Amino acid sequence: MAGKILITGAGGQVASALVDAPIELERMALTQAEFDITDLAEIDDVFDREAPALVVNAAAYTQVDRAEHEAELAFAINRDGVADLAHACRARDIPLIHLSTDYIFDGTKQSAYVESDPVAPLGVYGESKAEGEAVLHRLWPKHVILRTSWVFSATGNNFVKTMLRLGRERDELGVVNDQHGCPTSARSIAETLLEISRRLLEGETIEWGTYHYCNGPPTTWYGCAREIFTRAGGFESLRLEPIATSDYPTPARRPHNSVLDCAKIERSFGIRPADWRYELEIVLSKLSLPD
């Protein structure tokens, strides 16, 4: 199978999973220090040197709360960097797969969000990701945008690792129970991205555009935390309490509902959502857990 996949954002949760996935596709992952997507000259140099057949953009500014005070940096990476990649891919006729987020929605819909629902981000992070999507739509038709949600893995910073740390440090823990979404493993996102990549590299004709992929079933942060502590074991004395968003104020507002409908990706690629509870077991098995 000819063609190299260039992966941005090496070291992040999804990029790490993309590198580790056991699939026979040639891949090169570069960190931000090695490949700054906000530097068009550097993009040209890397593209000319590596000659990728496909690019997966997993680089992003993801600090949701900090973005409220670092808007310029968030937009530089999440919008302008995407524009730079789109220009470079268009100049070389290279497909671009871009990772996006459920936080482009405002959470007021009473059912799962489909790809055609209007975006209405509540904060700088979501706005920067929404504008990154828009600029990619405008600049380069040969793209796939994959929106996902509540990413977790055994690497990096994420909810699962935070809960395990806090559970060891405290006797009681309050977790938000009125934000609904779908925890999604970086491993399953990587498998989805690589399946789409494989089809593109094999010359399959696909429908370009936006797709949703997340694990199921929907839950809340509290529901996810409860599952983490139950499956990890050793937290029987921890008092876990459901709280409202209003009881845990943050600089950035979060959508109360960010459940993503994944029917389109199943129709187009036959990719079905994995169960996040199964994926959680895999992650927990990789982490150092209390006796």
Short mmCIF file of all heavy atoms in Angstrom, two decimals, residues 7-21 27-31 56-60 99 151 153 155 186-187 189-190 193-194:
data_model
loop_
_atom_site.label_atom_id
_atom_site.label_comp_id
_atom_site.label_asym_id
_atom_site.label_seq_id
_atom_site.Cartn_x
_atom_site.Cartn_y
_atom_site.Cartn_z
N ILE A 7 1.12 12.87 10.36
CA ILE A 7 0.27 13.13 11.52
C ILE A 7 0.84 14.32 12.29
O ILE A 7 2.01 14.30 12.69
CB ILE A 7 0.19 11.91 12.44
CG1 ILE A 7 -0.36 10.69 11.69
CG2 ILE A 7 -0.65 12.20 13.67
CD1 ILE A 7 -0.12 9.37 12.39
N THR A 8 0.03 15.34 12.50
CA THR A 8 0.46 16.47 13.31
C THR A 8 0.04 16.26 14.76
O THR A 8 -0.82 15.44 15.06
CB THR A 8 -0.16 17.78 12.80
OG1 THR A 8 -1.57 17.76 13.06
CG2 THR A 8 0.07 17.97 11.31
N GLY A 9 0.68 17.01 15.66
CA GLY A 9 0.28 16.94 17.06
C GLY A 9 0.79 15.73 17.80
O GLY A 9 0.16 15.27 18.77
N ALA A 10 1.94 15.19 17.39
CA ALA A 10 2.50 14.02 18.07
C ALA A 10 2.69 14.31 19.55
O ALA A 10 3.09 15.41 19.93
CB ALA A 10 3.83 13.62 17.43
N GLY A 11 2.40 13.33 20.36
CA GLY A 11 2.46 13.49 21.81
C GLY A 11 1.10 13.68 22.43
O GLY A 11 0.90 13.43 23.61
N GLY A 12 0.13 14.14 21.63
CA GLY A 12 -1.24 14.26 22.10
C GLY A 12 -1.91 12.90 22.17
O GLY A 12 -1.39 11.90 21.67
N GLN A 13 -3.09 12.87 22.77
CA GLN A 13 -3.77 11.59 22.99
C GLN A 13 -4.07 10.86 21.68
O GLN A 13 -3.77 9.68 21.52
CB GLN A 13 -5.08 11.81 23.76
CG GLN A 13 -4.89 12.29 25.18
CD GLN A 13 -6.21 12.34 25.92
OE1 GLN A 13 -6.68 11.34 26.48
NE2 GLN A 13 -6.85 13.49 25.91
N VAL A 14 -4.69 11.57 20.74
CA VAL A 14 -5.10 10.92 19.49
C VAL A 14 -3.90 10.61 18.62
O VAL A 14 -3.80 9.51 18.04
CB VAL A 14 -6.12 11.78 18.73
CG1 VAL A 14 -6.44 11.17 17.38
CG2 VAL A 14 -7.41 11.91 19.55
N ALA A 15 -2.96 11.55 18.51
CA ALA A 15 -1.78 11.29 17.69
C ALA A 15 -0.98 10.10 18.22
O ALA A 15 -0.48 9.28 17.45
CB ALA A 15 -0.91 12.54 17.63
N SER A 16 -0.88 9.99 19.54
CA SER A 16 -0.18 8.83 20.12
C SER A 16 -0.88 7.53 19.76
O SER A 16 -0.23 6.53 19.43
CB SER A 16 -0.09 8.98 21.64
OG SER A 16 0.67 10.12 22.00
N ALA A 17 -2.20 7.55 19.82
CA ALA A 17 -2.96 6.35 19.46
C ALA A 17 -2.83 6.05 17.97
O ALA A 17 -2.82 4.88 17.57
CB ALA A 17 -4.42 6.54 19.84
N LEU A 18 -2.73 7.08 17.15
CA LEU A 18 -2.54 6.87 15.72
C LEU A 18 -1.21 6.18 15.43
O LEU A 18 -1.12 5.31 14.56
CB LEU A 18 -2.58 8.22 14.99
CG LEU A 18 -3.96 8.84 14.76
CD1 LEU A 18 -3.83 10.30 14.36
CD2 LEU A 18 -4.73 8.07 13.68
N VAL A 19 -0.19 6.55 16.17
CA VAL A 19 1.13 5.93 15.98
C VAL A 19 1.12 4.49 16.47
O VAL A 19 1.71 3.60 15.85
CB VAL A 19 2.20 6.76 16.72
CG1 VAL A 19 3.54 6.03 16.72
CG2 VAL A 19 2.35 8.14 16.07
N ASP A 20 0.45 4.24 17.60
CA ASP A 20 0.48 2.91 18.23
C ASP A 20 -0.46 1.90 17.59
O ASP A 20 -0.32 0.70 17.82
CB ASP A 20 0.11 3.03 19.71
CG ASP A 20 1.16 3.81 20.51
OD1 ASP A 20 2.30 3.93 20.02
OD2 ASP A 20 0.82 4.30 21.60
N ALA A 21 -1.41 2.36 16.81
CA ALA A 21 -2.41 1.44 16.25
C ALA A 21 -1.75 0.37 15.38
O ALA A 21 -0.92 0.68 14.51
CB ALA A 21 -3.42 2.23 15.41
N ARG A 27 3.33 5.69 8.58
CA ARG A 27 2.94 6.89 9.31
C ARG A 27 4.17 7.64 9.82
O ARG A 27 5.16 7.02 10.20
CB ARG A 27 2.07 6.52 10.53
CG ARG A 27 0.68 6.11 10.23
CD ARG A 27 0.11 5.22 11.33
NE ARG A 27 0.60 3.86 11.23
CZ ARG A 27 0.29 2.88 12.06
NH1 ARG A 27 -0.49 3.12 13.09
NH2 ARG A 27 0.76 1.66 11.89
N MET A 28 4.08 8.95 9.82
CA MET A 28 5.08 9.80 10.46
C MET A 28 4.36 10.82 11.30
O MET A 28 3.50 11.55 10.79
CB MET A 28 5.98 10.50 9.43
CG MET A 28 6.82 11.62 10.05
SD MET A 28 8.00 12.32 8.91
CE MET A 28 9.29 11.09 9.00
N ALA A 29 4.67 10.88 12.59
CA ALA A 29 4.03 11.83 13.50
C ALA A 29 5.06 12.85 13.97
O ALA A 29 6.16 12.48 14.39
CB ALA A 29 3.43 11.11 14.70
N LEU A 30 4.70 14.13 13.89
CA LEU A 30 5.60 15.21 14.27
C LEU A 30 4.98 16.05 15.38
O LEU A 30 3.79 16.37 15.34
CB LEU A 30 5.90 16.09 13.06
CG LEU A 30 6.62 15.42 11.88
CD1 LEU A 30 6.77 16.40 10.73
CD2 LEU A 30 7.98 14.88 12.31
N THR A 31 5.80 16.41 16.35
CA THR A 31 5.35 17.26 17.44
C THR A 31 5.27 18.71 16.98
O THR A 31 5.74 19.06 15.89
CB THR A 31 6.31 17.18 18.62
OG1 THR A 31 7.58 17.74 18.22
CG2 THR A 31 6.51 15.74 19.08
N VAL A 56 -3.20 13.88 8.50
CA VAL A 56 -4.18 13.83 9.59
C VAL A 56 -3.77 14.91 10.59
O VAL A 56 -2.70 14.82 11.21
CB VAL A 56 -4.22 12.46 10.27
CG1 VAL A 56 -5.18 12.50 11.47
CG2 VAL A 56 -4.66 11.38 9.30
N ASN A 57 -4.62 15.90 10.74
CA ASN A 57 -4.31 17.00 11.65
C ASN A 57 -4.90 16.74 13.03
O ASN A 57 -6.09 16.94 13.28
CB ASN A 57 -4.83 18.33 11.12
CG ASN A 57 -4.50 19.48 12.04
OD1 ASN A 57 -3.43 19.49 12.66
ND2 ASN A 57 -5.39 20.43 12.16
N ALA A 58 -4.03 16.27 13.93
CA ALA A 58 -4.44 16.05 15.32
C ALA A 58 -3.86 17.12 16.24
O ALA A 58 -3.97 17.02 17.46
CB ALA A 58 -3.99 14.66 15.78
N ALA A 59 -3.24 18.14 15.65
CA ALA A 59 -2.71 19.24 16.44
C ALA A 59 -3.84 20.20 16.78
O ALA A 59 -4.67 20.52 15.94
CB ALA A 59 -1.63 19.98 15.65
N ALA A 60 -3.87 20.64 18.03
CA ALA A 60 -4.93 21.56 18.44
C ALA A 60 -4.57 22.21 19.77
O ALA A 60 -3.83 21.64 20.57
CB ALA A 60 -6.26 20.83 18.59
N LEU A 99 -9.33 16.80 12.89
CA LEU A 99 -10.07 16.41 14.09
C LEU A 99 -10.72 17.64 14.73
O LEU A 99 -10.06 18.65 14.97
CB LEU A 99 -9.12 15.75 15.08
CG LEU A 99 -9.73 14.90 16.20
CD1 LEU A 99 -10.49 13.71 15.62
CD2 LEU A 99 -8.63 14.43 17.15
N VAL A 151 -12.51 13.09 25.06
CA VAL A 151 -11.46 12.13 24.72
C VAL A 151 -10.70 11.66 25.97
O VAL A 151 -10.37 12.46 26.85
CB VAL A 151 -10.47 12.75 23.72
CG1 VAL A 151 -9.38 11.74 23.33
CG2 VAL A 151 -11.22 13.25 22.48
N SER A 153 -7.63 8.54 27.39
CA SER A 153 -6.64 7.51 27.04
C SER A 153 -5.73 7.32 28.25
O SER A 153 -5.92 7.95 29.30
CB SER A 153 -5.80 7.96 25.83
OG SER A 153 -4.97 9.06 26.18
N THR A 155 -2.65 8.16 28.15
CA THR A 155 -1.61 9.17 28.02
C THR A 155 -2.22 10.57 28.13
O THR A 155 -3.44 10.75 27.96
CB THR A 155 -0.88 9.06 26.68
OG1 THR A 155 -1.82 9.29 25.62
CG2 THR A 155 -0.28 7.68 26.50
N ALA A 186 -9.25 7.61 22.76
CA ALA A 186 -8.35 8.00 21.69
C ALA A 186 -8.06 6.81 20.77
O ALA A 186 -7.88 6.97 19.56
CB ALA A 186 -7.05 8.55 22.27
N ARG A 187 -8.05 5.62 21.35
CA ARG A 187 -7.79 4.41 20.56
C ARG A 187 -8.85 4.22 19.48
O ARG A 187 -8.53 3.95 18.31
CB ARG A 187 -7.76 3.20 21.48
CG ARG A 187 -7.34 1.90 20.82
CD ARG A 187 -7.46 0.74 21.81
NE ARG A 187 -8.81 0.26 21.87
CZ ARG A 187 -9.24 -0.84 21.23
NH1 ARG A 187 -8.42 -1.55 20.47
NH2 ARG A 187 -10.50 -1.23 21.34
N ILE A 189 -10.88 6.52 18.26
CA ILE A 189 -10.79 7.63 17.30
C ILE A 189 -9.69 7.34 16.29
O ILE A 189 -9.87 7.54 15.08
CB ILE A 189 -10.51 8.95 18.03
CG1 ILE A 189 -11.65 9.32 18.97
CG2 ILE A 189 -10.28 10.08 17.03
CD1 ILE A 189 -11.33 10.45 19.92
N ALA A 190 -8.54 6.88 16.78
CA ALA A 190 -7.43 6.57 15.88
C ALA A 190 -7.80 5.47 14.89
O ALA A 190 -7.47 5.57 13.70
CB ALA A 190 -6.21 6.14 16.71
N LEU A 193 -9.97 7.11 12.24
CA LEU A 193 -9.18 7.95 11.34
C LEU A 193 -8.35 7.10 10.37
O LEU A 193 -8.23 7.42 9.18
CB LEU A 193 -8.26 8.85 12.15
CG LEU A 193 -8.93 9.95 12.98
CD1 LEU A 193 -7.94 10.57 13.94
CD2 LEU A 193 -9.55 11.01 12.08
N LEU A 194 -7.78 6.02 10.87
CA LEU A 194 -6.93 5.18 10.02
C LEU A 194 -7.75 4.36 9.03
O LEU A 194 -7.28 4.07 7.92
CB LEU A 194 -6.06 4.28 10.89
CG LEU A 194 -4.96 5.02 11.66
CD1 LEU A 194 -4.29 4.09 12.67
CD2 LEU A 194 -3.91 5.60 10.69
#
